[in-house]
């Protein structure tokens, strides 16, 4: 599997494009707010001849869904996410005003609900959805066992974990699920987070200050 990371700038957030030799692809968390960012993502997909099969959200906080409506319009994809986060879609305009900017288009609804254990296929690639609540009630991690990697959204970061003070967050629940759902995976598993640099499960088990 090939991975392209975009870092978008309104709230520096990582968007990932995944594809394999079949050129079928998935996009995770298109947090592109500015028009030039949307066009950069679109142009990369077209330039590489990718056939995007899935638009996946790890969770539905506004910085991770800025580009959802754009992707739905351009590629005819349903938003795929966990139903427990659906209320955040309606909250997005109010949240944007709190941060001092305009939510400049209608939010795209969830078109396909994902649940814990669901399998997402594209080309020869398989992802497993792992429900890890605590940062948000519907947070999902997408795990690719064959490529020894995961896309953790805002659940787990290099040396940190997600905040738990927003609506539906729960600090103890987040820690518990990271330990019981993620830290059981192989140490060499690469963690591609929603913000910041990659890490590994082994490093976080050994060094993350929240688990000492």
């Amino acid at each position: 599997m090939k991975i392209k990371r975009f870092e978008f700038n309104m709230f520096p957030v990582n968007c990932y494009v995944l594809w394999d030799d079949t050129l079928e692809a998935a996009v995770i968390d298109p947090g592109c707010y500015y028009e030039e960012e949307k066009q950069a993502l679109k142009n990369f997909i077209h330039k590489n001849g990718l056939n995007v099969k899935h638009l996946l959200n790890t969770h539905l906080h506004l910085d991770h869904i800025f580009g959802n409506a754009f992707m739905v319009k351009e590629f005819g994809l349903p938003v795929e996410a966990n139903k427990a986060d659906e209320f955040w879609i309606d909250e997005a305009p109010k949240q944007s005003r709190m941060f001092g900017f305009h939510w400049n288009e209608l939010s795209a609804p969830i078109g396909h609900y994902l649940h814990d254990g669901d399998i997402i296929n594209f080309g020869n690639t398989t992802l497993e959805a792992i429900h890890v609540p605590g940062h948000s009630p519907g947070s999902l991690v997408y795990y690719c066992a064959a490529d020894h990697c995961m896309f953790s959204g805002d659940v787990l970061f290099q040396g940190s974990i997600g905040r738990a003070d927003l609506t539906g967050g729960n600090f103890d629940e987040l820690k518990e699920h990271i330990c019981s759902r993620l830290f059981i995976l192989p140490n060499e598993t690469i963690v591609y987070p929603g913000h910041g640099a990659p890490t590994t499960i082994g490093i976080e088990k050994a060094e993350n200050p929240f688990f000492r």
Side-chain angles (χ1 to χ4, degrees), residues 2 26 30 36 47 57 108 112:
K2 302 177 178 69
E36 57 268 28
K47 180 180 178 180
N57 282 121
H112 177 69

Side-chain angles (χ1 to χ4, degrees), residues 4 16 19 21-22 54 64 67 80 107 114-115 141 143 156 163 171 176-177:
K4 168 67 174 178
Y16 298 96
W19 74 102
D21 291 341
T22 69
H54 296 280
H64 292 257
E80 300 179 52
S107 302
L114 291 174
H115 310 88
V141 169
Y143 174 53
L156 181 63
R163 63 187 295 179
F171 180 75
E176 174 190 346
H177 281 83

Side-chain angles (χ1 to χ4, degrees), residues 25-203:
V27 174
I28 300 176
D29 288 349
C32 39
Y33 178 82
Y34 298 107
E35 186 62 30
E36 57 268 28
E37 295 176 336
K38 296 175 184 177
Q39 294 304 316
L41 178 57
K42 175 183 173 181
N43 291 341
F44 178 85
I45 291 167
H46 287 316
K47 180 180 178 180
N48 288 278
L50 302 182
N51 180 12
V52 183
K53 293 294 187 178
H54 296 280
L55 172 57
L56 305 173
N57 282 121
T58 58
H59 62 297
L60 297 178
H61 288 163
L62 79 167
D63 51 332
H64 292 257
I65 67 170
F66 283 139
N68 275 4
F70 172 77
M71 292 295 294
V72 170
K73 178 181 177 181
E74 290 292 329
F75 297 98
L77 300 164
V79 173
E80 300 179 52
N82 187 282
K83 185 177 177 61
D85 264 17
E86 195 164 36
F87 72 97
W88 279 112
I89 295 175
D90 292 333
E91 288 290 311
K94 182 174 73 174
Q95 290 290 310
S96 68
R97 290 192 295 273
M98 288 174 58
F99 286 103
F101 64 91
H102 176 60
W103 186 257
N104 53 10
E105 58 188 333
L106 293 176
S107 302
I110 300 177
H112 177 69
Y113 294 120
L114 291 174
H115 310 88
D116 183 59
D118 281 355
I119 300 299
I120 300 105
N121 294 304
F122 56 95
N124 298 316
T125 302
T126 297
L127 303 176
E128 178 187 357
I130 302 174
H131 185 212
V132 187
H135 173 65
S136 73
S139 283
L140 296 172
V141 169
Y142 298 107
Y143 174 53
C144 182
D147 288 278
H148 310 290
C149 67
M150 70 169 65
F151 302 86
S152 64
D154 289 1
V155 167
L156 181 63
F157 302 117
Q158 183 184 71
S160 189
I161 63 175
R163 63 187 295 179
D165 59 333
L166 300 175
T167 304
N170 185 302
F171 180 75
D172 292 334
E173 185 179 42
L174 177 58
K175 289 183 63 179
E176 174 190 346
H177 281 83
I178 290 172
C179 289
S180 65
R181 306 304 307 279
L182 303 186
F183 281 178
I184 63 170
L185 299 173
N187 285 340
E188 65 270 21
T189 304
I190 301 170
V191 179
Y192 293 103
H195 305 272
T199 183
T200 68
I201 287 295
I203 288 172

